[in-house]
Amino acid sequence: DFIRWMPKQKSFDGYDNTVPEGIDILLCKLHRLRKALAYLLEKPLYRTSIQLARYPGDMKGYVRHRDVKLGIKEPERRRITVTYYCNEGWVEEYGGEFVLYPKTRDPRLVARSTDSQEEKDRKQAESFSVTKKFLPTANSLAVFQSHTYHEVLPMSKPRVAFAFWMYGPQSLGLKYPGTEGIVTFCHSIKPLRQATR
């Protein structure tokens, strides 16, 4: 895998002439999204980290994981993950789908120390029973809470994506609404080559 980290930013005011124009436009749009989400959620999301990743397409994926470690006290942590895909002409046969497990946010499925092993196994199986899958097509976004489990399935072609993490000092306070009401989406946005500053 090829990974490049961009500097963490407290704020983003204006354009960065040190990166190509298309990436600069994307970063500005992602920072506008961060500000809009902070406003709508009435929670501070004031710092970001950004990673550009290129997976080689050798029939490997990225294992199921969360983007944040739970149970660790931190002054701030990742709260929202945005993944932007850059894969022109991507088709289902290539694989590489992004898979989200929304029920892993359900507090009713958290294993307790008083649960029997059978009950813990049942809860874990149910947590991962529902998935939402998205193809990593060019100019699309996946937006989700960073503590939701997700993975990338094996792929036969190289795959490129930007991961954009929004940090905040406190929980977003979003209640688990049940599988049908999960706020996750994959949304097409205006292609970069048509975008203007």
Side-chain angles (χ1 to χ4, degrees):
D1 302 352
F2 167 80
I3 292 176
R4 178 175 177 187
W5 286 94
M6 298 188 179
K8 292 180 181 175
Q9 298 163 326
K10 287 275 186 187
S11 63
F12 193 83
D13 301 316
Y15 296 92
D16 183 350
N17 293 327
T18 64
V19 298
E21 183 180 7
I23 293 175
D24 189 35
I25 291 169
L26 171 64
L27 296 180
C28 286
K29 288 182 180 232
L30 290 172
H31 280 286
R32 278 191 237 143
L33 175 62
R34 175 185 55 82
K35 288 178 181 178
L37 287 172
Y39 176 79
L40 291 170
L41 296 170
E42 298 179 348
K43 301 285 182 179
L45 295 168
Y46 52 78
R47 184 170 74 81
T48 63
S49 61
I50 304 165
Q51 178 192 80
L52 171 61
R54 181 185 185 276
Y55 300 97
D58 52 5
M59 292 313 294
K60 292 182 182 171
Y62 199 80
V63 298
R64 184 169 63 195
H65 66 286
R66 290 176 164 160
D67 287 346
V68 65
K69 292 179 182 167
L70 300 181
I72 297 173
K73 294 203 184 267
E74 298 174 288
E76 60 183 25
R77 66 166 48 164
R78 292 173 178 171
R79 297 297 178 184
I80 294 178
T81 301
V82 178
T83 306
Y84 174 82
Y85 299 105
C86 311
N87 307 294
E88 291 285 344
W90 197 270
V91 293
E92 195 169 345
E93 294 81 48
Y94 298 163
E97 292 97 336
F98 170 78
V99 182
L100 193 66
Y101 297 91
K103 288 187 81 172
T104 57
R105 290 192 52 242
D106 187 341
R108 297 168 297 181
L109 299 177
V110 173
R112 311 274 182 231
S113 59
T114 55
D115 289 346
S116 67
Q117 187 59 48
E118 183 179 329
E119 180 65 3
K120 288 178 183 176
D121 292 344
R122 183 197 67 76
K123 285 180 175 180
Q124 181 172 15
E126 188 174 342
S127 288
F128 294 104
S129 64
V130 174
T131 62
K132 294 188 180 286
K133 294 183 182 180
F134 306 105
L135 284 177
T137 54
N139 295 305
S140 63
L141 291 173
V143 180
F144 56 98
Q145 290 188 71
S146 299
H147 62 275
T148 306
Y149 275 96
H150 56 285
E151 70 178 307
V152 176
L153 298 182
M155 68 212 79
S156 62
K157 300 280 185 187
R159 177 183 182 278
V160 178
F162 279 90
F164 183 85
W165 291 282
M166 302 177 195
Y167 292 73
Q170 55 190 282
S171 169
L172 297 177
L174 300 176
K175 303 226 182 299
Y176 177 77
T179 305
E180 297 307 313
I182 291 288
V183 181
T184 57
F185 59 93
C186 195
H187 178 73
S188 284
I189 63 171
K190 191 173 184 180
L192 289 181
R193 62 183 167 274
Q194 296 174 9
T196 58
R197 292 184 182 181

